């Protein structure tokens, strides 16, 4: 079971600037999150960000429709990818997920365009079906994370969700941690390109960033969001100085394909 977790960042200096360098000896230890995707097969974090105007529009609609004035932090939506071989003008939207609200269909179109240069063609075709593709059920989860909240290590249900998961971070950044499932059997080593092959990676996800989990990243690594109010990340200019970054309220949008039969109510959750 996946659990929401909460934590706090204990600061010894209440006047400290969250953008200051993380080199004070009194500052509590935090893992330094990298900014480039680690060498996990099937993990993609393209160096592109959603347009700010689109982010604001989608966040505003999500808050208005699902969260404002309600004591909830998660919403599940469902759609079905269908195609019309007769050339119906609505076919392009229906392929993304008929039944989903229009602003999420708009987001999927934007993601399809933005991701195409950065991910393998077969993965792009899997995430964004072309005309004539068989119908599939798509789930969208909206999660609202307040500062200090996170989610425990997990692998998305193998019996319910297919390969290929898209995650979008809106309104705030966070750090996502990945840990190899069989980490007790692997030692840290160097890859041919000189990068470390670790059992755990901490990855900084900026606001408006996009993440894709497929293959090993989907099935052989857990992912989590540690519950804390601040994150420590590499500097953007590649210097040795790290940045302490305060979290805001983050809206996460996750797109997943359901396996055949998994959209039937009352099915097994194992």
């Amino acid at each position: 079971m996946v659990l929401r977790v909460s934590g706090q960042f204990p600061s010894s200096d209440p006047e400290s600037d969250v953008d200051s360098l993380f080199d004070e000896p009194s500052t509590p230890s935090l893992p330094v999150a990298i900014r480039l995707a680690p060498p996990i097969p099937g993990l993609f974090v393209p160096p592109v960000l959603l347009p700010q105007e689109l982010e604001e529009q989608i966040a505003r609609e999500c808050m208005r429709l699902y969260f404002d004035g309600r004591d909830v932090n998660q919403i599940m939506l469902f759609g079905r990818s269908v195609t019309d071989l007769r050339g119906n003008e609505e076919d392009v939207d229906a392929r993304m997920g008929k039944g989903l609200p229009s602003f999420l269909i708009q987001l999927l179109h934007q993601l399809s365009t933005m991701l195409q240069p950065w991910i393998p063609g077969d993965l792009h075709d899997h995430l964004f079906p072309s005309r004539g593709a068989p119908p599939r059920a798509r789930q969208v989860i909206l999660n609202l994370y307040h500062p200090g909240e996170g989610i425990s290590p997990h692998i998305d249900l193998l019996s319910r969700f297919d390969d290929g998961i898209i995650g979008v971070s809106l309104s705030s950044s966070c750090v996502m941690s990945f840990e190899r499932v069989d980490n007790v059997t692997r030692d840290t080593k160097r890859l041919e390109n000189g990068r470390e092959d670790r059992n755990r990676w901490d990855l900084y996800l900026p606001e408006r960033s996009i993440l894709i989990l497929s293959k090993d990243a989907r099935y052989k690594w857990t992912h989590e969001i540690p519950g804390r109010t601040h994150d420590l990340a590499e500097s953007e200019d590649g210097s040795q100085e790290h940045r302490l970054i305060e979290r805001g309220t983050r809206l996460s949008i996750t797109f997943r394909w359901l396996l055949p039969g998994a959209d039937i109510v009352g099915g097994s959750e194992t």
Side-chain angles (χ1 to χ4, degrees):
M1 180 174 64
V2 179
L3 300 176
R4 284 288 186 113
V5 295
S6 298
Q8 296 294 324
F9 178 84
S11 175
S12 59
D13 181 7
E15 302 298 326
S16 64
D17 184 349
V18 297
D19 289 329
S20 63
L21 303 184
F22 196 70
D23 55 2
E24 297 295 331
S26 61
T27 307
S29 175
L30 283 175
V32 179
I34 60 177
R35 288 182 177 267
L36 297 179
I40 299 175
L43 173 63
F44 299 92
V45 186
V48 291
L49 301 175
L50 281 180
Q52 186 172 354
E53 183 177 354
L54 179 60
E55 174 205 27
E56 293 172 351
Q57 173 197 343
I58 293 171
R60 184 170 55 249
E61 286 297 295
C62 287
M63 296 302 296
R64 180 181 67 84
L65 291 172
Y66 306 117
F67 296 109
D68 284 345
R70 300 173 176 86
D71 187 22
V72 296
N73 58 20
Q74 184 182 85
I75 295 293
M76 294 187 184
L77 304 171
F78 296 89
R80 181 170 291 275
S81 171
V82 295
T83 60
D84 185 348
L85 297 179
R86 296 170 297 179
N88 191 314
E89 292 182 357
E90 297 180 355
D91 177 63
V92 64
D93 288 344
R95 275 184 274 150
M96 291 296 180
K98 191 173 183 179
L100 294 176
S102 59
F103 64 88
L104 290 181
I105 296 295
Q106 180 185 2
L107 174 58
L108 283 166
H109 283 305
Q110 180 73 35
L111 292 173
S112 175
T113 300
M114 293 177 63
L115 293 176
Q116 191 164 26
W118 299 103
I119 62 176
D122 58 345
L123 177 58
H124 186 273
D125 291 344
H126 177 70
L127 296 173
F128 308 102
S130 58
R131 175 164 293 183
R136 306 192 70 189
R138 172 169 258 159
Q139 183 201 61
V140 184
I141 295 186
L142 312 178
N143 278 304
L144 198 63
Y145 294 94
H146 297 286
E149 295 181 338
I151 193 167
S152 60
H154 67 284
I155 293 176
D156 291 32
L157 285 172
L158 302 178
S159 61
R160 182 166 294 272
F161 302 110
D162 201 356
D163 197 7
I165 298 170
I166 307 173
V168 181
S169 295
L170 303 182
S171 304
S172 178
S173 62
C174 76
V175 164
M176 181 170 286
S177 300
F178 299 87
E179 188 163 352
R180 201 192 310 263
V181 173
D182 61 346
N183 62 359
V184 295
T185 65
R186 299 287 295 273
D187 295 324
T188 299
K189 63 180 182 180
R190 290 281 176 179
L191 300 173
E192 291 182 0
N193 60 8
R195 298 189 70 181
E196 285 184 342
D197 182 20
R198 307 179 192 170
N199 290 320
R200 180 185 173 92
W201 294 93
D202 295 286
L203 176 64
Y204 177 70
L205 298 176
E207 179 181 348
R208 297 187 283 131
S209 62
I210 307 162
L211 173 143
I212 302 97
L213 300 177
S214 65
K215 297 184 177 180
D216 285 10
R218 158 76 174 102
Y219 296 107
K220 297 183 179 181
W221 291 71
T222 62
H223 56 278
E224 70 168 307
I225 299 173
R228 53 185 180 237
T229 57
H230 295 70
D231 293 304
L232 184 64
E234 294 176 335
S235 63
E236 295 180 79
D237 60 7
S239 68
Q240 296 300 313
E241 298 170 341
H242 305 140
R243 289 192 60 206
L244 185 62
I245 303 169
E246 185 176 13
R247 289 189 193 176
T249 297
R250 173 175 170 267
L251 176 62
S252 169
I253 303 181
T254 304
F255 296 94
R256 304 187 286 196
W257 290 120
L258 279 82
L259 291 168
D263 54 333
I264 300 174
V265 176
S268 172
E269 286 284 347
T270 58

